[in-house]
Structures are given as C-alpha cells and as structure tokens.
C-alpha cells in the first residue's frame, strides 16, 4: 500500500482484512496499491483484490445488502477510484444519497448514484482554486494523471462533475453560513439579497466610520467621500450562447444581483434600439447590443 505507514508486503487476503480493520476505526479506504505480477509492480486497487464497502452500518455488516453500480467511482485527492459498494436495504434503511453523505461522500446524482466525491477533495479543490486560481478542468486532469499518467486506464467520468461539485458545495456553504437550515421554510424561503454580505471596503456608520464624520473639518472630508463608477457588463454576451435551461443558477437573485425574471421584464419594457446607436465602436458592446435588440423585438 502506497498510503499506509511502512512498506510491508502482504497477500491479497491479509490486505483486505487489514483495510477492513482500518475502515472500522478511521474510515480510511481510498488507498493506492501496487501488485506484484511476477516480474514487476503494477497499479492495483481494493476492488481488484475483492474488498466490498458496505454502507449504512458502522460495522460493515448488513443482513440485506443491495449491490451498487458495478463500476462505482469515487473521486479522492490521490486518484479516481473504482470500488465495489453495497447499500443497506434493511427495514430501517435510508436513501442511497443519504448513505453516501453519512460517510462524507458527495453523490453526483440524487437517484441511483454511480459517482461520488469525498469531502476532502472538495475542500482541497476550493483551497486550490482560491490560492492558485486553478480551473476545474485543470484540477480534474491532475487527478487523471495521478490515476494513470499514461492515460490507458482512466475511469469514465466527465470533467463537468468537478464543476458541478464545486458549484453545489459553494451554494450549500452559503446557505449554511446564512443560517437557512435553522429557519422554518429552509432554503426555499430565502428572500432576495439575504445571502449578500456587507462590503468591508465600503463605509458603514458605527463600524468603520466615526460617529462625528459629518462635523469633520472641510480639509478632511475627502476621507469619507463616496466614489461611484459605472462599468459595462462584459459577461452579458454569454446570453448569446447560453440559457437558463442549459446553465441554471443556484442562488440567482439571493446575493448581489436582482432575480432574473424582474430584470428581464425591466429590459423588455425599457430596451430601445435607438439608445445603442452611439456604442457601435466598442468591441464588447456589440454582443450586448444584439441581446438588447432581441429583447426589444420580443417587446414589440
């Protein structure tokens, strides 16, 4: 085992028993193995040597197990793993999604999940994205190279899973930090703007603005002046090749931007083609102009 302490060589049966013991204590399962084939060491996994992971029970024993997908995949920080998984189908069982979440595995789909991602790799990706600006595709390609640097034995997982995991995790964290799980209506009762936080750079009376700032000397009033700027929405051109159905937002209208429907109604009622005649020269306004022209035609 490449992840365990020490480099002792054991047989397949002892390796499975050892991992089962560790699994009961530390939930340490997603390890990397090398198997001797008679002439050299080759990559292997616990799935190939016969280990099955039982969910729903802390002792890994279930009187009525339900076999999971034959090619179940778990994404971890060290590689992309194929594992044999069994769900609990006892009288007191919960859904497959809940069983995965209770062992810190985040499923891709709600019903009949075939791919999951560990909480560790989700946190690792968020820190990497914040510190080094790595993209989801680059992070997934790194995991593929860790799995098989040659690229011959890569599990069939879409790179979009990493982006979906990231978007859903950030959405859940925002709801958690806003305390939406402690209210009666939960997430569905979240009103527009509830998830927004105050800008620490702006002036807020009683926080970073003294109480007598209005009576300050004229020569020092520039310290508390407000500077407002208006910039073009360069990302509005994304509406030309995307849609709400193809790329829906999770918390649209709940943070700093208004909800889509009132904004679109405002555009349809106030868009004017003539008001854009003076902005033909700007390279970024062209796509935006087409969007507003399309909105104006819909209004007509």
């Amino acid at each position: 085992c490449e992840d365990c302490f020490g480099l002792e060589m054991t047989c397949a049966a002892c390796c499975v028993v050892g991992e089962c013991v560790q699994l009961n204590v530390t939930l340490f399962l997603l390890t990397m193995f090398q198997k001797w084939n008679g002439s050299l060491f080759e990559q292997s996994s616990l799935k190939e040597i016969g280990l099955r992971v039982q969910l729903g029970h802390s002792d890994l024993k279930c009187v009525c197990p339900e076999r999971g997908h034959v090619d179940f995949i778990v994404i971890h920080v060290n590689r992309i793993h194929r594992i044999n998984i069994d769900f609990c189908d006892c009288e007191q069982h919960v859904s497959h999604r809940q069983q995965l979440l209770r062992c810190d595995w985040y499923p891709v789909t709600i019903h009949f999940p075939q791919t999951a991602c560990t909480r560790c790799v989700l946190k690792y990706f968020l820190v990497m994205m914040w510190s080094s600006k790595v993209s989801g595709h680059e992070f997934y390609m790194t995991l593929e190279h860790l799995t098989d640097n040659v690229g011959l034995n890569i599990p069939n997982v879409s790179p979009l899973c990493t982006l979906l995991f990231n978007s859903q995790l950030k959405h859940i964290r925002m709801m958690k930090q806003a305390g939406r799980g402690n209210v009666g209506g939960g997430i569905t009762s979240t009103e527009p703007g509830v998830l927004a936080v105050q800008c620490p750079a702006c002036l807020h009376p009683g926080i970073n603005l003294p109480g007598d700032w209005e009576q300050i000397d004229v020569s020092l009033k520039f310290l508390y002046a407000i500077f407002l700027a208006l910039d073009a929405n360069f990302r509005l051109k994304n509406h030309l090749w995307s849609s709400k159905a193809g790329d829906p937002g999770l918390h649209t209208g709940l943070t700093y931007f208004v909800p889509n429907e009132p904004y679109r109604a405002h555009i349809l009622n106030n868009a004017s083609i003539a008001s854009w005649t003076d902005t033909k020269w700007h390279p970024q306004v062209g796509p935006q102009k087409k969007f507003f022209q399309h909105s104006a035609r819909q209004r007509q």
Side-chain angles (χ1 to χ4, degrees):
C1 177
E2 299 180 9
D3 297 324
C4 297
F5 180 76
L7 298 176
E8 293 81 4
M9 298 181 61
T10 60
C11 64
C14 294
C15 187
V16 172
V17 173
E19 286 299 322
C20 288
V21 173
Q22 292 186 21
L23 188 61
N24 285 329
V25 179
T26 62
L27 298 180
F28 189 73
L29 167 67
L30 304 174
T31 56
M32 301 176 64
F33 282 87
Q34 288 187 354
K35 180 178 61 176
W36 180 257
N37 61 4
S39 58
L40 52 86
F41 284 98
E42 61 181 4
Q43 289 290 339
S44 182
S45 63
L46 289 174
K47 177 181 180 179
E48 296 180 1
I49 61 178
L51 177 66
R52 300 198 64 86
V53 181
Q54 177 64 56
L55 302 182
H57 298 271
S58 58
D59 57 354
L60 302 180
K61 297 179 181 179
C62 181
V63 297
C64 187
E66 179 184 357
R67 184 180 295 268
H69 194 269
V70 67
D71 194 21
F72 196 90
I73 295 174
V74 178
I75 303 176
H76 195 42
V77 292
N78 55 1
R79 65 180 299 178
I80 303 174
H81 298 265
R82 294 187 179 96
I83 65 172
N84 295 317
I85 190 171
D86 292 330
F87 294 97
C88 173
D89 198 25
C90 298
E91 184 178 355
Q92 303 296 330
H93 75 280
V94 294
S95 63
H96 294 178
R97 170 180 56 87
Q98 290 176 289
Q99 294 183 41
L100 289 170
L101 289 174
R102 288 179 179 180
C103 64
D104 278 346
W105 290 358
Y106 194 91
V108 175
T109 57
I110 298 177
H111 305 289
F112 308 106
Q114 302 177 11
T115 305
C117 190
T118 63
R119 184 181 61 174
C120 183
V121 72
L122 291 175
K123 183 177 180 180
Y124 187 79
F125 173 62
L126 284 179
V127 176
M128 286 287 294
M129 182 182 62
W130 292 333
S131 60
S132 60
K133 308 300 181 183
V134 65
S135 65
H137 178 75
E138 294 171 342
F139 183 76
Y140 177 79
M141 294 302 298
T142 302
L143 294 176
E144 279 196 349
H145 287 296
L146 289 174
T147 304
D148 187 0
N149 200 27
V150 182
L152 300 178
N153 189 24
I154 302 297
N156 187 17
V157 182
S158 173
L160 293 177
C161 291
T162 307
L163 301 178
L164 294 176
F165 283 138
N166 179 41
S167 300
Q168 294 176 10
L169 178 62
K170 290 191 294 185
H171 175 69
I172 294 176
R173 287 170 64 95
M174 291 178 64
M175 291 294 178
K176 179 181 178 181
Q177 293 172 358
R180 302 310 303 172
N182 300 324
V183 297
I187 294 179
T188 57
S189 63
T190 306
E191 299 179 355
V194 172
L195 301 183
V197 296
Q198 291 184 345
C199 176
C202 295
L203 300 177
H204 303 283
I207 300 178
N208 56 358
L209 189 64
D212 57 345
W213 67 275
E214 295 181 348
Q215 287 77 30
I216 199 170
D217 188 75
V218 179
S219 60
L220 298 177
K221 282 190 174 182
F222 71 94
L223 295 175
Y224 310 114
I226 299 179
F227 295 90
L228 300 178
L230 182 63
D231 197 2
N233 186 4
F234 297 132
R235 292 187 177 273
L236 189 61
K237 60 184 180 181
N238 294 334
H239 284 277
L240 297 177
W241 53 77
S242 182
S243 62
K244 182 179 179 181
D247 187 16
L250 294 177
H251 45 264
T252 303
L254 302 181
T255 52
Y256 302 99
F257 292 93
V258 297
N260 286 335
E261 297 305 327
Y263 174 73
R264 186 172 294 274
H266 173 77
I267 293 298
L268 294 178
N269 293 329
N270 298 278
S272 175
I273 300 177
S275 62
W276 289 87
T277 56
D278 298 333
T279 57
K280 295 180 180 179
W281 59 271
H282 200 288
Q284 295 293 342
V285 174
Q288 301 181 36
K289 180 180 178 181
K290 294 180 181 179
F291 171 73
F292 280 99
Q293 288 176 348
H294 177 69
S295 301
R297 286 194 295 268
Q298 288 183 346
R299 178 171 56 88
Q300 295 174 358

